[in-house]
Amino acid sequence: MLDLKWVVANLDEARRRLATRGAAGAEALAPIEALASERRQLIQSSETQRAEQRKASEQMRSLKGEQQAQLRARLKALSDEVKEKDARLKEVEERIERALLNVPNLPHETVPPGTSERDNQVVRGEKPEVASPREHTEIGEKLGLLDFERAAKVSGARFAFYRGALARLELAVVQFFLDSARERGYLDLLPPYLVNADAMRGTGQLPKFEEDLFKTTAGYYLIPTAEVPVTNYHRDEILEGSQLPLRYCAFSPCFRSEAGSYGKDTKGIIRQHQFHKVELVRFEKPEQAHAALEELVRDAQAPLQKLGLHHRVVLLCTADLGFSSEKTFDLEVWLPGQNAYREISSCSTFGDFQARRAQIRFRPAPGEKPRFVTTLNGSGLAVGRTVVAILENGQQPDGSVVLPEAIRPYMGGLARLTVAASG
């Protein structure tokens, strides 16, 4: 969430920067502008009346009789008026706070302006060539490793059964990612998969994206990413500056309704209602945030590089930023079967946007005033999409799939997926 005092004092600047996200960005400020005007009037009026109170209080010492009684009555009226304005000011600021929950983060000054994902900038990466590539769905089904038909019977569209060696590969990739994160200084957390509404508000899923979430009858939400419980791990806490940076990695299933996808990527396991992911979450001092973002990108790249999966790094433009993000780099893995790059990790810094919502602060030094931390997170990585990349990049003319050498120890030495290996 943006800082209320900064927004109302810098509405033009906020409107200009949010407009780079598209029309919806600036429009989100509209409900706040009238409230901000009323807030200024209330503050000015209250300050004027308080000055009058102070002056009248001084005059009281030199007055007697009827004049003193009249001035005392005026002081009482002023006091009542100030109390009413203070109550109204509190109400207006609460309404602004609620409205700010629907306002996206301000893009960082280093984010390139743009109007769509076409304006994202490829920072680095090049694609390889695969002869006569097939998509992962065809590869998996022919090897008996993927079963969409039975999954549809059991659950519906956008679910899959993994079979035999592919199920084993999914879990092997999870452990491979966790090992990579641990080697790079991240502490393992195994988080809850159900969270409350406060946790969802803390990271920016609520109130704006409620239709994308799965909610239980008990009022809990199924997590769309481990970012939610892990970021909220330090909610309502004041950390010591000496504790920072804090780095966590967490495996979890993720649950998304994909309400706004409108049929996009409905085939295969690219975009499902349930999938696995390893998440990297960092808590940093504000001045270290953008150096930490570059490091986070390298942390997310490390397992891709070990697996030999070709990918590129893309700096998102203003129009393509996520709601809470200040700056984002996407890692896009090359899928020859689709002849396309697909996002496999999104690494972002959020400034104090999430920390302000979740009240996560740190004390720079003993006795100093607490400040908001900067939160960062990135997928390290999306497990299902990594499996897709392994299938499509490792496919052979005979229909088998050669596994990357780095994953083979996690598969008991298995080097190739075949029909016989599918179980």
Side-chain angles (χ1 to χ4, degrees):
M1 185 170 66
L2 300 178
D3 179 29
L4 180 153
K5 291 181 180 178
W6 186 92
V7 170
V8 297
N10 300 274
L11 272 172
D12 288 342
E13 173 69 5
R15 190 184 301 108
R16 181 188 67 79
R17 291 173 66 181
L18 287 171
T20 65
R21 282 177 165 270
E27 287 172 3
L29 280 179
I32 295 171
E33 296 189 30
L35 291 169
S37 176
E38 183 179 358
R39 178 180 180 273
R40 284 193 298 271
Q41 293 170 7
L42 286 168
I43 291 173
Q44 291 168 0
S45 178
S46 293
E47 287 176 349
T48 299
Q49 289 180 319
R50 283 191 173 91
E52 187 178 347
Q53 279 181 302
R54 289 191 294 271
K55 183 177 179 181
S57 295
E58 291 173 3
Q59 291 175 338
M60 282 283 289
R61 301 187 191 122
S62 60
L63 297 178
K64 294 181 180 180
E66 182 64 25
Q67 286 182 316
Q68 189 182 66
Q70 289 177 352
L71 191 56
R72 184 176 291 111
R74 175 58 183 155
L75 276 170
K76 175 65 168 60
L78 281 171
S79 177
D80 290 342
E81 289 174 15
V82 168
K83 286 179 182 178
E84 286 180 11
K85 286 184 171 64
D86 286 346
R88 176 58 184 168
L89 178 62
K90 182 180 179 182
E91 179 185 344
V92 167
E93 290 188 337
E94 287 174 350
R95 290 176 63 186
I96 293 175
E97 292 274 7
R98 289 195 296 272
L100 281 172
L101 289 174
N102 290 297
V103 177
N105 203 354
L106 300 176
H108 191 262
E109 58 198 19
T110 58
V111 175
T115 58
S116 74
E117 62 182 19
R118 292 188 298 274
D119 297 315
N120 295 340
Q121 295 182 3
V122 177
V123 177
R124 51 192 177 271
E126 58 183 47
K127 64 182 180 181
E129 296 296 330
V130 175
S132 304
R134 293 168 295 142
E135 289 195 50
H136 70 280
T137 50
E138 181 183 352
I139 298 168
E141 288 181 318
K142 284 191 174 181
L143 291 176
L145 300 174
L146 278 173
D147 192 332
F148 296 102
E149 185 176 343
R150 288 188 176 92
K153 175 180 65 177
V154 170
S155 300
R158 296 197 179 187
F159 291 93
F161 274 108
Y162 286 53
R163 288 168 42 85
L166 197 68
R168 187 178 180 185
L169 178 61
E170 176 96 355
L171 298 176
V173 168
V174 169
Q175 194 56 60
F176 178 74
F177 288 167
L178 290 172
D179 286 351
S180 176
R182 197 178 303 114
E183 290 169 4
R184 300 180 73 85
Y186 290 79
L187 176 69
D188 294 78
L189 289 181
L190 188 59
Y193 305 152
L194 292 167
V195 297
N196 55 34
D198 286 341
M200 288 294 191
R201 272 190 291 270
T203 46
Q205 277 76 24
L206 288 179
K208 189 171 179 61
F209 302 107
E210 181 148 16
E211 67 172 6
D212 293 321
L213 305 171
F214 285 110
K215 187 176 183 180
T216 70
T217 54
Y220 292 102
Y221 291 87
L222 291 168
I223 61 171
T225 164
E227 169 197 352
V228 177
V230 178
T231 302
N232 280 275
Y233 185 65
H234 290 296
R235 192 175 79 214
D236 298 323
E237 293 184 19
I238 299 178
L239 305 168
E240 294 302 324
S242 59
Q243 293 177 266
L244 300 178
L246 290 170
R247 303 180 181 95
Y248 298 108
C249 63
F251 160 74
S252 77
C254 305
F255 305 91
R256 300 184 186 179
S257 72
E258 300 290 355
S261 58
Y262 303 110
K264 183 181 180 182
D265 297 329
T266 55
K267 184 180 179 183
I269 56 176
I270 292 291
R271 192 183 298 273
Q272 295 198 299
H273 292 308
Q274 173 191 310
F275 58 95
H276 293 141
K277 188 152 64 80
V278 171
E279 196 75 5
L280 308 176
V281 176
R282 299 173 65 129
F283 299 85
E284 299 276 350
K285 295 178 181 178
E287 57 270 20
Q288 300 297 324
H290 288 271
L293 177 60
E294 297 285 348
E295 186 175 75
L296 178 62
V297 171
R298 294 192 293 271
D299 294 339
Q301 280 186 281
L304 284 174
Q305 291 164 340
K306 290 177 183 177
L307 292 171
L309 294 175
H310 294 270
H311 61 282
R312 67 184 185 184
V313 180
V314 178
L315 174 60
L316 299 194
C317 72
T318 52
D320 207 27
L321 286 177
F323 177 79
S324 299
S325 174
E326 178 183 75
K327 184 176 183 178
T328 296
F329 289 98
D330 274 1
L331 303 185
E332 297 180 344
V333 69
W334 174 246
L335 301 181
Q338 299 186 30
N339 192 36
Y341 284 100
R342 292 291 187 178
E343 176 198 331
I344 199 166
S345 177
S346 191
C347 299
S348 302
T349 176
F350 304 100
D352 62 10
F353 191 83
Q354 292 181 330
R356 190 178 299 279
R357 286 170 169 251
Q359 288 296 299
I360 308 169
R361 295 175 291 168
F362 75 102
R363 199 181 303 279
E368 291 190 11
K369 183 180 178 180
R371 299 172 60 196
F372 287 110
V373 302
T374 290
T375 59
L376 301 93
N377 80 266
S379 304
L381 301 155
V383 179
R385 292 191 177 194
T386 303
V387 169
V388 169
I390 290 173
L391 290 176
E392 294 197 6
N393 283 281
Q395 61 182 294
Q396 302 299 306
D398 65 359
S400 66
V401 175
V402 173
L403 296 177
E405 288 189 15
I407 202 67
R408 294 176 190 177
Y410 295 82
M411 296 287 289
L414 186 67
R416 186 184 294 255
L417 299 181
T418 65
V419 174
S422 69

